C-alpha cells in the first residue's frame, strides 16, 4: 500500500502517540479494567477524532478511509484491542450525528467529541439479540416535545462513560421501517448503566444500559422517523473497515512477537527460528496477513472513491478475524508457556480474538449479508 506523504506523516504521529501514551500502560490499564479519561483529550488534541467530520466543528472536512485505517492499524500496536475500541467508540457513535443530526445537535455534540471532552457510544444490541437489527424492541414514543424511551441495550462499548448514546429505537411498526436513531444524553433522568466483565478487551468499558421513561427532546432524533435502519447500515461499513484495519494491525503484532521469540529462544541447542516447522508457521502467518492487508487496501481505495462495497467489506471482515485467530494460535504455540502468562501481548490478543468474530456483525451474519449482496 503506497501512502501519500501526508498519510505517512499522520501514521508516524499516531505511532508515536501509541508508543508514548498507551503501550507503556497497557498491562496496568487492562488489569484495572479501564484507562484514564484524559486519553480522549490527548487523542483529541492530535486530531485523531476528526476524520469524516466537518471543519466547522473542528474535523478534517472529508472522509478519508485510509486515515481511519491508519489510526486503527497503529492503535493495534499497543497490544490491547479494548483500548482502541473504547477510545474510538466516537467513530461508531458520532458519524450518524454528522450524517443526519440537526445543526443544533451537531453544534452541541461534535466539537466536544472532537476535542475529546465528550464521549459518544452506539447502542444497537439488546439483551434479546444483536444480529437481527430490524427486530429491536426498545421504544421511543412521541409525547409533545419529547420521546419517552423504554428498554435495554447491552454490550455497549463506552457504555459507562459515554456522554451521548446514539440509540436504535422503535418509533413505528415492527420491522426495519419502524426503526429510528435517537441521541440520548446520558445525564437525563431514567437512564442508568451497569458494567460488564468480559473474556477480553478488559480495559474497554462495556455496559448494559437501561432506559426507564427517559424523556429525550425531539431535536435529538437523527434524520426522520423510520430512517434508523438505513443510517445503521451506512455506519456499519466504516465500523467494519476500522475493525479490519485493527485486526490486520493485531495480526502483524502477533507475527512480530512470534518472530522475535523464535529468533531468541533456543531449544535443543538452536534457535526455534532455525526449525523448518517454526519457519513455516511464521511464513503462513505472514502470507495470510499480506493477503488480508492487500484486500483491505483495495477496499480503502474503493471507499475513498465513493463506493460502498458492502459484500466485500463483510467478506474481508471475516477474512481478517480468521487471520487474527490463526495468528493468535500460531504465536501462542511458538511462544509456548510464556504466551499463557497474563500481561503478555500474545495472551491478551488470544483472549480478544473472539470479539472480532462476533461484534460489528458476526461471521455468520457477514457471510449471509455477502451472499444476499452477491445475489446467491
Ligand atoms: C466486547 C463487545 C463490545 C460490543 N460493543 C457493542 C456496541 O458498542 N454497540 C452495540 O450495539 N453492540 C455491541 N456489541 C454487540 C455485538 O454487536 C453483538 O454481540 C453481535 O451483533 C451479535 O449479537 P448477539 O450477541 O446478540 O448474538 P445473536 O444475534 O444472538 O447471535 C448468536 C450467534 O448466532 C449466530 N446467528 C444469528 N442469526 C443467525 C442466522 N440467521 N443464521 C446463522 N447464524 C446466526 C450469530 O452469528 C452468533 O454467532 C458488542 C459485543 C461485544 C462482545
Amino acid at each position: 500500500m503506497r501512502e501519500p506523504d501526508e498519510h505517512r506523516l499522520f501514521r508516524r504521529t499516531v505511532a508515536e502517540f501509541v508508543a508514548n501514551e498507551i503501550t507503556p500502560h497497557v498491562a496496568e490499564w487492562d488489569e484495572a479494567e479501564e484507562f484514564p479519561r484524559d486519553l480522549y483529550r490527548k487523542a483529541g488534541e492530535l486530531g485523531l477524532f476528526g476524520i469524516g467530520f466537518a471543519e466547522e466543528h473542528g474535523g478534517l472536512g472529508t472522509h478519508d478511509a485510509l486515515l481511519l485505517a491508519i489510526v486503527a492499524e497503529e492503535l493495534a500496536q499497543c497490544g490491547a484491542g479494548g483500548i482502541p475500541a473504547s477510545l474510538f467508540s466516537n467513530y461508531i457513535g458520532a458519524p450518524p450525528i454528522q450524517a443526519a443530526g440537526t445543526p443544533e445537535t451537531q453544534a452541541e455534540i461534535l466539537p466536544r467529541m472532537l476535542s475529546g471532552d465528550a464521549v459518544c457510544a452506539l447502542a444497537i444490541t439488546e439483551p434479546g439479540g444483536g444480529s437481527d437489527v430490524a427486530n429491536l424492541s426498545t421504544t421511543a414514543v412521541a409525547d409533545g416535545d419529547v420521546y419517552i424511551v423504554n428498554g435495554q441495550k447491552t454490550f455497549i462499548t463506552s457504555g459507562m462513560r459515554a456522554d451521548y448514546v446514539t440509540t436504535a429505537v422503535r418509533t413505528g411498526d415492527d420491522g426495519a421501517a419502524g426503526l429510528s436513531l435517537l441521541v440520548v444524553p446520558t445525564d437525563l433522568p431514567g437512564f442508568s448503566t451497569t458494567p460488564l466483565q468480559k473474556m477480553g478487551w478488559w480495559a474497554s468499558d462495556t455496559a448494559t444500559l437501561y432506559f426507564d421513561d427517559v424523556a429525550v427532546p425531539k431535536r435529538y432524533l437523527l434524520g426522520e422517523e423510520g430512517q434508523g435502519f438505513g443510517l445503521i447500515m451506512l455506519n456499519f461499513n466504516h465500523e467494519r473497515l476500522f475493525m479490519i484495519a485493527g485486526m490486520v494491525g493485531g495480526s502483524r503484532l502477533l507475527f512480530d512477537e512470534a518472530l522475535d521469540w523464535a529468533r531468541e529462544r533456543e531449544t535443543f541447542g538452536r534457535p526455534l527460528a532455525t526449525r523448518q516447522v517454526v519457519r513455516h508457521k511464521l511464513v503462513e502467518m505472514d502470507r495470510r496477513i499480506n493477503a488480508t492487508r492487500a484486500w483491505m487496501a483495495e477496499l480503502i481505495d474503493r471507499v475513498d472513491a465513493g463506493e460502498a462495497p458492502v459484500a466485500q467489506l463483510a467478506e474481508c471482515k471475516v477474512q481478517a478475524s480468521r487471520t487474527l485467530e490463526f495468528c493468535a494460535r500460531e504465536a501462542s504455540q511458538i511462544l509456548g508457556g510464556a504466551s499463557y502468562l497474563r500481561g503478555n501481548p500474545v495472551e491478551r490478543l488470544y483472549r480478544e480474538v473472539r470479539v472480532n468474530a462476533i461484534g460489528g456483525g458476526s461471521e455468520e451474519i457477514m457471510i449471509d449479508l455477502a451472499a444476499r449482496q452477491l445475489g446467491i
Side-chain angles (χ1 to χ4, degrees), residues 221-293:
L221 183 71
L222 301 181
E224 308 280 326
E225 281 188 17
Q227 287 183 347
F229 192 78
L231 287 169
I232 292 166
M233 292 304 134
L234 206 65
N235 210 34
F236 270 143
N237 285 343
H238 298 302
E239 178 178 2
R240 284 168 196 156
L241 195 52
F242 194 77
M243 287 184 77
I244 290 166
M247 289 187 267
V248 167
S251 301
R252 180 55 66 193
L253 179 68
L254 287 160
F255 173 84
D256 291 341
E257 291 285 327
L259 179 60
D260 285 351
W261 183 270
R263 283 180 171 150
E264 277 175 26
R265 181 74 165 180
E266 291 199 4
T267 65
F268 303 95
R270 271 172 34 205
L272 279 178
T274 62
R275 310 283 176 189
Q276 189 179 43
V277 68
V278 174
R279 295 160 71 81
H280 283 200
K281 278 185 198 297
L282 287 162
V283 170
E284 184 59 18
M285 289 164 81
D286 192 47
R287 186 180 70 76
R288 294 187 194 205
I289 297 165
N290 287 335
T292 311
R293 194 164 191 267

Side-chain angles (χ1 to χ4, degrees), residues 92 122-125 129-132 154-157 198 201 206 355 358-362 364-365:
I92 55 173
L122 178 73
I124 311 282
T125 308
S131 302
D132 190 2
T154 196
F155 300 129
I156 306 309
T157 302
K198 309 179 295 298
W201 277 17
T206 312
V355 69
I358 295 169
S362 68
E364 292 77 8
I365 297 300

Side-chain angles (χ1 to χ4, degrees), residues 3 19 62 80 85 98 121 125 136 159-160 163 165 175 218 227 248-250 252 265 284 290 329 350 365 376:
E3 288 172 6
T62 51
Q98 173 69 63
T125 308
L136 298 179
M160 294 301 291
D163 302 285
V165 181
K218 279 188 171 169
Q227 287 183 347
V248 167
R252 180 55 66 193
R265 181 74 165 180
E284 184 59 18
N290 287 335
R329 187 190 190 283
Y350 195 95
I365 297 300
I376 296 168

Side-chain angles (χ1 to χ4, degrees), residues 124-262:
I124 311 282
T125 308
E126 299 183 347
S131 302
D132 190 2
V133 174
N135 283 312
L136 298 179
S137 62
T138 295
T139 54
V141 178
D143 182 9
D145 291 343
V146 298
Y147 285 103
I148 305 295
V149 180
N150 279 289
Q152 289 180 23
K153 298 286 175 182
T154 196
F155 300 129
I156 306 309
T157 302
S158 296
M160 294 301 291
R161 54 171 50 158
D163 302 285
Y164 298 95
V165 181
T166 299
T167 309
V169 290
R170 185 162 299 287
T171 48
D173 294 337
D174 291 348
L179 289 181
S180 301
L181 275 185
L182 184 66
V183 179
V184 179
T186 57
D187 57 359
L188 291 177
F191 177 85
S192 60
T193 57
T194 53
L196 295 170
Q197 288 198 304
K198 309 179 295 298
M199 175 196 281
W201 277 17
W202 291 347
S204 175
D205 139 32
T206 312
T208 297
L209 317 183
Y210 305 89
F211 304 82
D212 295 309
D213 285 332
V214 184
V216 182
K218 279 188 171 169
R219 67 173 185 277
Y220 287 114
L221 183 71
L222 301 181
E224 308 280 326
E225 281 188 17
Q227 287 183 347
F229 192 78
L231 287 169
I232 292 166
M233 292 304 134
L234 206 65
N235 210 34
F236 270 143
N237 285 343
H238 298 302
E239 178 178 2
R240 284 168 196 156
L241 195 52
F242 194 77
M243 287 184 77
I244 290 166
M247 289 187 267
V248 167
S251 301
R252 180 55 66 193
L253 179 68
L254 287 160
F255 173 84
D256 291 341
E257 291 285 327
L259 179 60
D260 285 351
W261 183 270

